[in-house]
């Protein structure tokens, strides 16, 4: 992972650079060895449901896929992080840690590398701190490997979303649902699978103790999650 950024580069352009691991499949599909058949969907569903912030990246840091927990750090939908670079999202606290990772990738070493980072939260603008664990993954014969990045947020981070409110991703799902969007179209708009959308809706239904999408939307207006005087629907 270096200071280069993939912003603005198309999948076709970046997949044919010297450092793109095309032979392993990671350059084209973040599911890697699970890209074929139903395993790809299982991989993506699992990623959606894991509460730990996770991203799969190319060796130079370009994000291939991020789960909802990772995107929530910036108040974004998962699909909005695709193509961004980890070094644009996180500020390493010690350059030496990043140099150690870059050298290990150059030499083909496989291990876990912790990098202390800080970033600005998208929800309230506060500066948060934590640790990224970078794990080279994929076929050992392919160099450079893809990177699996797991974020551990420090305990000084803001508390979890209160019971009566919704996360930015949940609010976006409710906004689209209130406008009549189907589950599939909501998933397409936010970079989620259909199962990922249903997962968030189910969690909201349990949290608010309501049943059905209509009741969820109504509850969202009552709780002030959706703006009562906006059309098309919009978050409050």
């Amino acid at each position: 992972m270096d200071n280069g950024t993939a912003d603005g580069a198309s999948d076709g352009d970046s997949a044919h650079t010297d450092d793109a691991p095309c032979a392993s499949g990671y350059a084209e599909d973040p599911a890697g060895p699970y890209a074929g058949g139903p395993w790809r969907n299982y991989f993506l569903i699992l990623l959606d449901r894991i509460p730990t912030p996770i991203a799969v990246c190319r060796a130079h840091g370009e994000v291939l896929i991020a789960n909802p927990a990772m995107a929530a750090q910036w108040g974004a939908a998962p699909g909005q992080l695709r193509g961004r670079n980890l070094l644009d999202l996180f500020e390493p606290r010690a350059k030496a840690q990043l140099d150690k990772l870059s050298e290990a990738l150059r030499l083909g070493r496989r291990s876990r590398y912790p990098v202390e980072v800080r970033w600005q939260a998208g929800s309230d603008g506060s500066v948060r701190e934590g640790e990224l664990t970078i794990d080279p993954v994929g076929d050992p014969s392919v160099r450079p490997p893809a990177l699996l990045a797991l974020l551990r947020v420090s305990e000084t981070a803001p508390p979890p979303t209160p019971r009566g409110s919704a996360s930015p991703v949940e609010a976006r799902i409710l906004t689209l649902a209130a406008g009549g969007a189907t589950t599939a179209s909501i998933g397409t708009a936010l970079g989620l699978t259909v199962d990922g959308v249903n997962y968030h809706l189910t969690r909201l239904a349990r949290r608010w103790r309501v049943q059905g999408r209509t009741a969820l939307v109504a509850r969202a207006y009552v709780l002030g999650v959706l703006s009562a005087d906006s059309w098309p629907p919009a978050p409050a």
Side-chain angles (χ1 to χ4, degrees):
M1 186 170 65
D2 55 35
N3 289 318
T5 177
D7 289 349
S10 66
D11 287 348
D13 292 335
S14 55
H16 292 86
T17 56
D18 291 339
D19 61 351
C22 297
S24 68
Y26 279 96
E28 303 300 332
D29 197 313
Y34 306 109
W39 290 106
R40 182 183 190 280
N41 288 335
Y42 298 153
F43 171 82
L44 296 177
I45 291 170
L46 178 63
L47 201 61
D48 277 346
R49 297 184 178 184
I50 293 176
T52 301
I54 297 175
V56 179
C57 314
R58 290 196 171 98
H60 59 272
E62 179 192 354
V63 176
L64 290 170
I65 190 169
N67 71 348
M70 179 67 85
Q73 298 300 320
W74 291 271
Q80 293 175 312
L81 296 190
R82 181 178 172 85
R84 299 287 301 276
N85 194 286
L86 283 184
L87 292 176
D88 295 333
L89 300 170
F90 295 103
E91 177 188 349
R93 298 192 63 184
K95 186 176 181 297
Q97 292 179 321
L98 202 61
D99 292 340
K100 182 178 180 181
L101 171 60
S102 298
E103 180 67 6
L105 292 175
R106 187 183 69 81
L107 297 175
R109 296 173 182 167
R110 298 293 183 104
S111 185
R112 292 182 177 179
Y113 299 91
V115 180
E116 295 181 0
V117 293
R118 61 166 61 94
W119 67 98
Q120 187 171 15
S123 56
D124 56 12
S126 63
V127 176
R128 299 183 182 181
E129 296 184 349
E131 182 182 83
L132 269 179
T133 299
I134 308 296
D135 193 354
V137 294
D139 189 334
S141 65
V142 176
R143 295 175 58 184
L147 303 178
L148 181 66
L150 289 81
L151 176 65
R152 181 180 61 82
V153 182
S154 68
E155 295 181 357
T156 58
T161 305
R163 181 181 179 86
S165 61
S167 70
V169 172
E170 291 169 341
R172 287 288 295 139
I173 290 174
L174 290 167
T175 298
L176 294 170
T182 65
T183 303
S185 60
I186 292 174
T188 299
L190 300 184
L192 296 171
T193 62
V194 168
D195 287 297
V197 174
N198 286 330
Y199 169 71
H200 286 290
L201 291 173
T202 300
R203 287 189 65 190
L204 280 169
R206 289 174 179 170
R207 187 189 312 157
W208 294 348
R209 299 180 181 178
V210 298
Q211 292 184 349
R213 186 172 299 193
T214 301
L216 268 176
V217 170
R219 185 71 166 152
Y221 278 111
V222 170
L223 293 173
V225 173
L226 298 180
S227 175
D229 56 358
S230 296
W231 189 265

